[in-house]
Amino acid sequence: FCKNRLTNLPKNAIVETKNKYQNMCYIVAYNILYSREDSEECVNDTWLFTWNNIPPRRPSVFSSFALKN
């Protein structure tokens, strides 16, 4: 399932998504965890979970979708 999803999305989608939302996700994680290392790991886990669970149609507010994961 995940492999099919990756082949159906633009090659630069992961990089563009990370560039756009990484700082926001990191700030949220850091304000909860107060640890740089834990926050970075949390953001990485969020990207993996979000990428694996993104619906076929892009959510209307992607940042809300990503942050709730």
Side-chain angles (χ1 to χ4, degrees):
F1 177 72
C2 185
K3 184 177 179 184
N4 291 339
R5 188 176 302 251
L6 290 173
T7 58
N8 292 332
L9 293 170
K11 293 181 190 281
N12 60 346
I14 293 174
V15 174
E16 287 185 21
T17 302
K18 182 179 176 184
N19 289 341
K20 186 170 185 178
Y21 298 106
Q22 180 173 357
N23 288 338
M24 178 177 49
C25 288
Y26 178 82
I27 289 169
V28 170
Y30 190 83
N31 284 331
I32 294 169
L33 302 170
Y34 299 107
S35 164
R36 183 182 59 82
E37 294 85 8
D38 290 343
S39 298
E40 289 172 355
E41 185 169 343
C42 180
V43 170
N44 288 333
D45 290 346
T46 298
W47 290 134
L48 179 62
F49 184 84
T50 299
W51 193 257
N52 288 334
N53 292 290
I54 193 168
R57 290 188 149 167
R58 183 176 183 207
S60 58
V61 182
F62 188 80
S63 59
S64 295
F65 175 76
L67 288 173
K68 78 175 189 167
N69 294 310

Coordinates of all heavy atoms in Angstrom, one line a residue:
F1 N 0.8 -1.2 0.0 CA 0.0 0.0 0.0 C 0.9 1.3 0.0 O 0.7 2.1 -0.8 CB -0.9 0.0 1.2 CG -1.8 1.2 1.3 CD1 -2.8 1.4 0.5 CD2 -1.5 2.1 2.3 CE1 -3.6 2.6 0.6 CE2 -2.3 3.3 2.4 CZ -3.3 3.5 1.6
C2 N 1.8 1.3 0.9 CA 2.7 2.5 1.0 C 3.5 2.7 -0.3 O 3.6 3.8 -0.7 CB 3.6 2.4 2.2 SG 4.6 3.8 2.5
K3 N 4.0 1.6 -0.9 CA 4.8 1.7 -2.1 C 4.0 2.3 -3.2 O 4.4 3.2 -3.9 CB 5.3 0.4 -2.5 CG 6.2 0.4 -3.7 CD 6.8 -0.9 -4.0 CE 7.7 -0.8 -5.2 NZ 8.2 -2.0 -5.7
N4 N 2.7 1.9 -3.4 CA 1.8 2.4 -4.4 C 1.6 3.9 -4.2 O 1.6 4.7 -5.1 CB 0.5 1.7 -4.4 CG 0.6 0.3 -4.9 OD1 1.6 0.0 -5.6 ND2 -0.3 -0.6 -4.6
R5 N 1.4 4.3 -2.9 CA 1.2 5.7 -2.6 C 2.4 6.5 -3.0 O 2.3 7.6 -3.5 CB 0.9 5.9 -1.1 CG 0.5 7.2 -0.7 CD 0.2 7.2 0.7 NE -0.9 6.3 1.0 CZ -2.1 6.6 1.3 NH1 -2.5 7.8 1.4 NH2 -3.0 5.7 1.5
L6 N 3.6 6.0 -2.7 CA 4.8 6.8 -3.0 C 5.0 6.9 -4.5 O 5.5 8.0 -5.0 CB 6.0 6.1 -2.5 CG 6.2 6.1 -0.9 CD1 7.3 5.3 -0.5 CD2 6.4 7.6 -0.5
T7 N 4.6 6.0 -5.3 CA 4.8 6.1 -6.8 C 3.7 7.0 -7.4 O 3.9 7.5 -8.5 CB 4.7 4.7 -7.4 OG1 3.4 4.1 -7.1 CG2 5.8 3.8 -7.0
N8 N 2.6 7.2 -6.7 CA 1.5 8.1 -7.2 C 1.7 9.5 -6.9 O 1.0 10.4 -7.4 CB 0.2 7.6 -6.7 CG -0.2 6.2 -7.3 OD1 0.3 5.9 -8.4 ND2 -1.0 5.5 -6.6
L9 N 2.7 9.9 -6.0 CA 2.9 11.2 -5.6 C 4.1 11.8 -6.3 O 5.0 11.1 -6.6 CB 3.1 11.3 -4.1 CG 1.8 11.0 -3.3 CD1 2.2 10.8 -1.8 CD2 0.7 12.0 -3.4
P10 N 4.1 13.1 -6.5 CA 5.3 13.8 -7.1 C 6.6 13.4 -6.3 O 6.5 13.3 -5.0 CB 5.0 15.3 -7.0 CG 3.5 15.4 -6.8 CD 3.1 14.1 -6.1
K11 N 7.7 13.3 -7.0 CA 8.9 12.9 -6.3 C 9.4 13.9 -5.2 O 10.0 13.5 -4.2 CB 10.0 12.7 -7.3 CG 9.8 11.5 -8.2 CD 10.9 11.4 -9.2 CE 10.6 10.4 -10.3 NZ 10.8 9.0 -9.9
N12 N 9.1 15.1 -5.4 CA 9.5 16.1 -4.5 C 8.5 16.4 -3.4 O 8.6 17.4 -2.6 CB 9.9 17.4 -5.2 CG 8.7 18.0 -6.0 OD1 7.7 17.4 -6.2 ND2 8.9 19.2 -6.4
A13 N 7.4 15.7 -3.3 CA 6.3 16.0 -2.4 C 6.8 15.9 -0.9 O 6.4 16.7 -0.1 CB 5.1 15.0 -2.6
I14 N 7.6 14.9 -0.6 CA 8.1 14.7 0.8 C 8.9 15.9 1.2 O 8.8 16.5 2.2 CB 8.9 13.4 1.0 CG1 8.0 12.2 0.8 CG2 9.6 13.4 2.3 CD1 8.7 10.9 0.8
V15 N 9.9 16.3 0.3 CA 10.8 17.4 0.6 C 10.0 18.7 0.7 O 10.2 19.5 1.6 CB 11.8 17.5 -0.5 CG1 12.7 18.8 -0.3 CG2 12.7 16.3 -0.5
E16 N 9.1 19.0 -0.2 CA 8.3 20.2 -0.1 C 7.4 20.3 1.1 O 7.3 21.3 1.8 CB 7.4 20.3 -1.4 CG 8.2 20.7 -2.6 CD 7.3 20.9 -3.8 OE1 6.1 21.2 -3.7 OE2 7.8 20.8 -4.9
T17 N 6.8 19.2 1.5 CA 6.0 19.1 2.7 C 6.8 19.4 3.9 O 6.5 20.1 4.8 CB 5.3 17.7 2.8 OG1 4.5 17.6 1.6 CG2 4.4 17.7 4.0
K18 N 8.0 18.7 4.0 CA 8.9 18.9 5.1 C 9.3 20.4 5.2 O 9.3 21.0 6.3 CB 10.1 18.0 5.0 CG 11.1 18.1 6.1 CD 12.2 17.2 6.0 CE 13.2 17.4 7.1 NZ 14.4 16.6 6.9
N19 N 9.7 21.0 4.1 CA 10.2 22.3 4.1 C 9.1 23.3 4.6 O 9.3 24.3 5.3 CB 10.6 22.8 2.7 CG 12.0 22.1 2.3 OD1 12.7 21.6 3.2 ND2 12.2 22.1 1.0
K20 N 7.9 23.0 4.2 CA 6.7 23.9 4.5 C 6.3 23.8 6.0 O 6.0 24.8 6.6 CB 5.6 23.7 3.6 CG 4.4 24.6 3.8 CD 3.4 24.5 2.7 CE 2.4 25.6 2.8 NZ 1.4 25.5 1.8
Y21 N 6.3 22.6 6.5 CA 5.7 22.3 7.8 C 6.6 21.9 8.9 O 6.2 21.8 10.1 CB 4.6 21.3 7.7 CG 3.5 21.7 6.8 CD1 3.3 21.1 5.5 CD2 2.5 22.6 7.2 CE1 2.3 21.5 4.7 CE2 1.5 23.0 6.3 CZ 1.4 22.4 5.1 OH 0.4 22.8 4.2
Q22 N 7.9 21.7 8.6 CA 8.8 21.2 9.7 C 8.9 22.1 10.9 O 8.9 21.7 12.0 CB 10.1 20.9 9.1 CG 11.1 20.4 10.1 CD 12.4 19.9 9.5 OE1 12.6 20.0 8.2 NE2 13.4 19.5 10.3
N23 N 9.1 23.4 10.6 CA 9.3 24.3 11.7 C 8.1 24.4 12.6 O 8.2 24.4 13.9 CB 9.7 25.7 11.2 CG 11.1 25.8 10.6 OD1 11.9 24.9 11.0 ND2 11.3 26.7 9.8
M24 N 6.9 24.4 12.0 CA 5.7 24.5 12.8 C 5.5 23.2 13.7 O 5.2 23.3 14.9 CB 4.5 24.6 11.9 CG 3.1 24.6 12.6 SD 1.7 24.8 11.6 CE 2.0 23.7 10.3
C25 N 5.8 22.0 13.1 CA 5.7 20.8 13.9 C 6.8 20.7 15.0 O 6.5 20.3 16.1 CB 5.9 19.6 12.9 SG 4.5 19.3 11.8
Y26 N 8.0 21.2 14.7 CA 9.0 21.2 15.7 C 8.6 22.1 16.9 O 8.8 21.8 18.0 CB 10.3 21.7 15.1 CG 11.4 21.7 16.1 CD1 12.1 20.6 16.5 CD2 11.8 22.9 16.7 CE1 13.1 20.6 17.4 CE2 12.8 22.9 17.7 CZ 13.4 21.8 18.0 OH 14.4 21.8 19.0
I27 N 8.1 23.3 16.6 CA 7.7 24.2 17.6 C 6.6 23.6 18.5 O 6.7 23.7 19.8 CB 7.2 25.6 17.0 CG1 8.4 26.3 16.5 CG2 6.5 26.4 18.1 CD1 8.1 27.5 15.6
V28 N 5.7 23.0 17.9 CA 4.6 22.3 18.7 C 5.2 21.2 19.6 O 5.0 21.1 20.8 CB 3.5 21.7 17.8 CG1 2.5 20.9 18.6 CG2 2.7 22.9 17.1
A29 N 6.1 20.4 19.0 CA 6.7 19.3 19.8 C 7.6 19.8 20.9 O 7.5 19.3 22.0 CB 7.5 18.4 18.8
Y30 N 8.4 20.9 20.6 CA 9.3 21.4 21.6 C 8.5 22.0 22.8 O 8.9 21.9 23.9 CB 10.2 22.4 21.0 CG 11.3 22.8 22.0 CD1 12.4 22.0 22.1 CD2 11.2 23.9 22.8 CE1 13.4 22.3 23.0 CE2 12.2 24.3 23.7 CZ 13.3 23.5 23.8 OH 14.2 23.8 24.7
N31 N 7.4 22.7 22.5 CA 6.6 23.3 23.5 C 5.9 22.3 24.4 O 5.5 22.6 25.5 CB 5.5 24.2 22.9 CG 6.1 25.5 22.5 OD1 7.1 26.0 23.0 ND2 5.5 26.1 21.4
I32 N 5.8 21.0 23.9 CA 5.3 20.0 24.8 C 6.4 19.2 25.5 O 6.3 18.9 26.7 CB 4.5 19.0 23.9 CG1 3.2 19.7 23.3 CG2 4.1 17.7 24.7 CD1 2.5 18.9 22.3
L33 N 7.5 18.9 24.8 CA 8.6 18.1 25.3 C 9.7 18.8 25.9 O 10.5 18.2 26.7 CB 9.1 17.2 24.1 CG 8.0 16.3 23.5 CD1 8.6 15.7 22.2 CD2 7.5 15.3 24.4
Y34 N 10.0 20.0 25.5 CA 11.2 20.8 26.1 C 12.5 20.1 25.9 O 13.4 20.1 26.7 CB 11.0 21.2 27.5 CG 9.8 22.0 27.8 CD1 8.6 21.5 28.4 CD2 9.7 23.3 27.3 CE1 7.5 22.3 28.6 CE2 8.6 24.1 27.5 CZ 7.5 23.6 28.2 OH 6.4 24.4 28.3
S35 N 12.6 19.3 24.8 CA 13.9 18.6 24.5 C 14.1 18.6 23.0 O 13.2 18.2 22.2 CB 13.8 17.2 25.0 OG 14.8 16.4 24.4
R36 N 15.3 19.1 22.6 CA 15.5 19.2 21.1 C 15.5 17.8 20.5 O 14.9 17.6 19.5 CB 16.9 19.9 20.9 CG 17.3 20.0 19.4 CD 18.6 20.7 19.3 NE 19.7 19.9 19.9 CZ 20.3 18.8 19.3 NH1 19.9 18.4 18.1 NH2 21.3 18.2 19.9
E37 N 16.2 16.9 21.1 CA 16.3 15.5 20.6 C 15.0 14.8 20.5 O 14.6 14.3 19.4 CB 17.3 14.6 21.4 CG 18.7 15.1 21.3 CD 19.0 16.2 22.4 OE1 18.2 16.5 23.2 OE2 20.1 16.8 22.3
D38 N 14.2 14.9 21.6 CA 12.9 14.3 21.6 C 11.9 15.0 20.5 O 11.2 14.3 19.9 CB 12.2 14.3 22.9 CG 12.9 13.4 23.9 OD1 13.7 12.5 23.5 OD2 12.7 13.6 25.2
S39 N 12.1 16.3 20.4 CA 11.2 17.0 19.5 C 11.6 16.6 18.0 O 10.7 16.5 17.2 CB 11.4 18.5 19.7 OG 10.9 18.9 21.0
E40 N 12.9 16.5 17.7 CA 13.3 16.1 16.4 C 12.7 14.7 16.1 O 12.3 14.4 15.0 CB 14.8 16.2 16.2 CG 15.3 17.6 16.2 CD 16.8 17.7 16.3 OE1 17.5 16.6 16.5 OE2 17.3 18.8 16.2
E41 N 12.8 13.8 17.0 CA 12.3 12.4 16.8 C 10.8 12.4 16.6 O 10.3 11.7 15.8 CB 12.7 11.5 18.0 CG 12.3 10.1 17.7 CD 13.0 9.1 18.7 OE1 13.9 9.5 19.4 OE2 12.5 8.0 18.8
C42 N 10.1 13.3 17.4 CA 8.7 13.4 17.3 C 8.3 13.9 15.9 O 7.4 13.3 15.3 CB 8.2 14.3 18.4 SG 6.4 14.5 18.4
V43 N 9.0 14.9 15.4 CA 8.7 15.4 14.1 C 8.9 14.3 13.0 O 8.1 14.1 12.1 CB 9.5 16.7 13.8 CG1 9.4 17.1 12.3 CG2 9.1 17.8 14.7
N44 N 10.0 13.6 13.1 CA 10.3 12.5 12.2 C 9.2 11.4 12.3 O 8.7 10.9 11.2 CB 11.7 11.9 12.4 CG 12.8 12.8 12.0 OD1 12.6 13.6 11.1 ND2 13.9 12.6 12.7
D45 N 8.8 11.1 13.4 CA 7.7 10.1 13.6 C 6.4 10.6 13.0 O 5.6 9.9 12.4 CB 7.5 9.8 15.1 CG 8.6 8.9 15.7 OD1 9.4 8.4 14.9 OD2 8.6 8.8 16.9
T46 N 6.2 11.9 13.2 CA 5.0 12.6 12.6 C 5.0 12.5 11.1 O 4.0 12.2 10.5 CB 4.9 14.0 13.1 OG1 4.7 14.1 14.5 CG2 3.7 14.7 12.4
W47 N 6.1 12.8 10.5 CA 6.2 12.7 9.0 C 5.9 11.3 8.5 O 5.2 11.1 7.6 CB 7.6 13.1 8.5 CG 7.8 14.6 8.6 CD1 9.0 15.1 9.1 CD2 7.0 15.7 8.3 NE1 8.9 16.5 9.1 CE2 7.6 16.8 8.6 CE3 5.7 15.7 7.8 CZ2 7.1 18.1 8.4 CZ3 5.1 17.0 7.6 CH2 5.8 18.1 7.9
L48 N 6.5 10.3 9.2 CA 6.3 8.9 8.8 C 4.8 8.5 8.9 O 4.2 8.0 8.0 CB 7.2 8.0 9.6 CG 7.0 6.5 9.3 CD1 7.4 6.2 7.8 CD2 7.9 5.7 10.2
F49 N 4.2 8.8 10.0 CA 2.8 8.5 10.3 C 1.9 9.2 9.3 O 1.0 8.7 8.7 CB 2.4 8.8 11.7 CG 1.0 8.4 12.0 CD1 0.7 7.1 12.4 CD2 0.0 9.3 11.9 CE1 -0.6 6.7 12.6 CE2 -1.3 8.9 12.2 CZ -1.6 7.6 12.5
T50 N 2.2 10.5 9.1 CA 1.4 11.3 8.2 C 1.5 10.8 6.8 O 0.5 10.7 6.1 CB 1.8 12.8 8.3 OG1 1.6 13.3 9.6 CG2 1.0 13.7 7.3
W51 N 2.7 10.6 6.3 CA 2.9 10.1 5.0 C 2.2 8.8 4.7 O 1.6 8.6 3.7 CB 4.4 10.0 4.7 CG 4.7 9.8 3.2 CD1 5.0 8.7 2.6 CD2 4.6 10.8 2.2 NE1 5.1 8.9 1.2 CE2 4.9 10.2 1.0 CE3 4.3 12.2 2.3 CZ2 4.9 11.0 -0.2 CZ3 4.4 12.9 1.1 CH2 4.7 12.3 -0.1
N52 N 2.3 7.9 5.7 CA 1.7 6.6 5.5 C 0.2 6.6 5.6 O -0.5 5.6 5.2 CB 2.2 5.6 6.6 CG 3.7 5.2 6.2 OD1 4.1 5.2 5.1 ND2 4.4 4.8 7.3
N53 N -0.4 7.7 6.2 CA -1.8 7.8 6.4 C -2.5 8.9 5.6 O -3.7 9.1 5.8 CB -2.1 7.9 7.9 CG -1.8 6.7 8.6 OD1 -2.4 5.7 8.5 ND2 -0.7 6.7 9.4
I54 N -1.8 9.5 4.7 CA -2.4 10.6 4.0 C -3.5 10.1 3.1 O -3.4 9.0 2.5 CB -1.4 11.4 3.2 CG1 -1.9 12.7 2.6 CG2 -0.8 10.5 2.0 CD1 -0.9 13.6 2.1
P55 N -4.7 10.7 3.1 CA -5.8 10.2 2.3 C -5.5 10.4 0.8 O -4.7 11.3 0.5 CB -7.0 11.0 2.8 CG -6.4 12.2 3.5 CD -5.0 11.9 3.9
P56 N -6.3 9.7 0.0 CA -6.1 9.9 -1.5 C -6.3 11.3 -1.9 O -5.6 11.8 -2.8 CB -7.2 9.0 -2.1 CG -7.5 8.0 -1.0 CD -7.3 8.7 0.3
R57 N -7.2 12.1 -1.3 CA -7.4 13.5 -1.6 C -6.7 14.3 -0.5 O -6.8 14.0 0.7 CB -8.8 13.9 -1.6 CG -9.6 13.3 -2.8 CD -10.9 13.9 -2.8 NE -11.4 13.9 -4.2 CZ -12.6 14.2 -4.6 NH1 -13.5 14.4 -3.6 NH2 -12.9 14.2 -5.8
R58 N -6.0 15.3 -0.9 CA -5.3 16.2 0.0 C -6.3 16.8 1.0 O -7.3 17.4 0.6 CB -4.5 17.3 -0.7 CG -3.7 18.1 0.3 CD -2.9 19.1 -0.5 NE -2.1 19.8 0.6 CZ -1.7 21.0 0.4 NH1 -1.9 21.7 -0.7 NH2 -1.0 21.6 1.4
P59 N -6.0 16.7 2.3 CA -6.9 17.4 3.3 C -7.0 18.9 3.0 O -6.0 19.5 2.5 CB -6.2 17.1 4.6 CG -5.3 16.0 4.4 CD -4.9 16.1 2.9
S60 N -8.1 19.5 3.2 CA -8.3 20.9 3.0 C -7.3 21.8 3.8 O -6.8 22.8 3.3 CB -9.7 21.4 3.2 OG -10.1 21.1 4.5
V61 N -7.0 21.4 5.0 CA -6.0 22.1 5.8 C -5.0 21.1 6.2 O -5.1 20.4 7.2 CB -6.7 22.7 7.0 CG1 -5.6 23.5 7.9 CG2 -7.8 23.7 6.6
F62 N -3.9 21.0 5.4 CA -2.9 19.9 5.6 C -2.2 20.1 6.9 O -1.9 19.1 7.5 CB -1.9 19.9 4.4 CG -1.0 18.7 4.5 CD1 -1.4 17.5 4.0 CD2 0.3 18.9 5.0 CE1 -0.6 16.4 4.1 CE2 1.1 17.8 5.1 CZ 0.7 16.6 4.6
S63 N -1.9 21.3 7.3 CA -1.2 21.5 8.6 C -2.0 20.9 9.7 O -1.4 20.3 10.6 CB -0.9 22.9 8.8 OG -2.1 23.7 8.9
S64 N -3.3 21.0 9.7 CA -4.1 20.4 10.8 C -4.1 18.9 10.7 O -4.0 18.2 11.8 CB -5.6 20.9 10.6 OG -5.7 22.2 10.8
F65 N -4.1 18.4 9.5 CA -4.0 16.9 9.4 C -2.6 16.4 9.9 O -2.6 15.4 10.7 CB -4.1 16.5 7.9 CG -3.9 15.1 7.6 CD1 -4.9 14.1 7.9 CD2 -2.7 14.6 7.1 CE1 -4.6 12.8 7.7 CE2 -2.5 13.3 6.8 CZ -3.5 12.4 7.1
A66 N -1.6 17.1 9.6 CA -0.2 16.7 10.0 C -0.1 16.8 11.5 O 0.5 15.9 12.2 CB 0.8 17.5 9.3
L67 N -0.5 17.9 12.1 CA -0.3 18.2 13.5 C -1.2 17.3 14.4 O -0.8 17.0 15.5 CB -0.6 19.7 13.8 CG 0.5 20.6 13.3 CD1 0.1 22.1 13.6 CD2 1.8 20.4 14.0
K68 N -2.3 16.9 13.9 CA -3.1 16.0 14.8 C -2.6 14.6 14.8 O -2.9 13.8 15.7 CB -4.6 16.0 14.3 CG -4.9 15.1 13.1 CD -6.3 15.1 12.8 CE -6.6 14.0 11.8 NZ -8.0 13.7 11.7
N69 N -1.7 14.3 13.9 CA -1.0 12.9 13.9 C 0.1 12.9 14.8 O 0.7 12.0 15.3 CB -0.6 12.5 12.5 CG -1.8 12.4 11.6 OD1 -2.8 11.7 12.0 ND2 -1.8 13.0 10.5

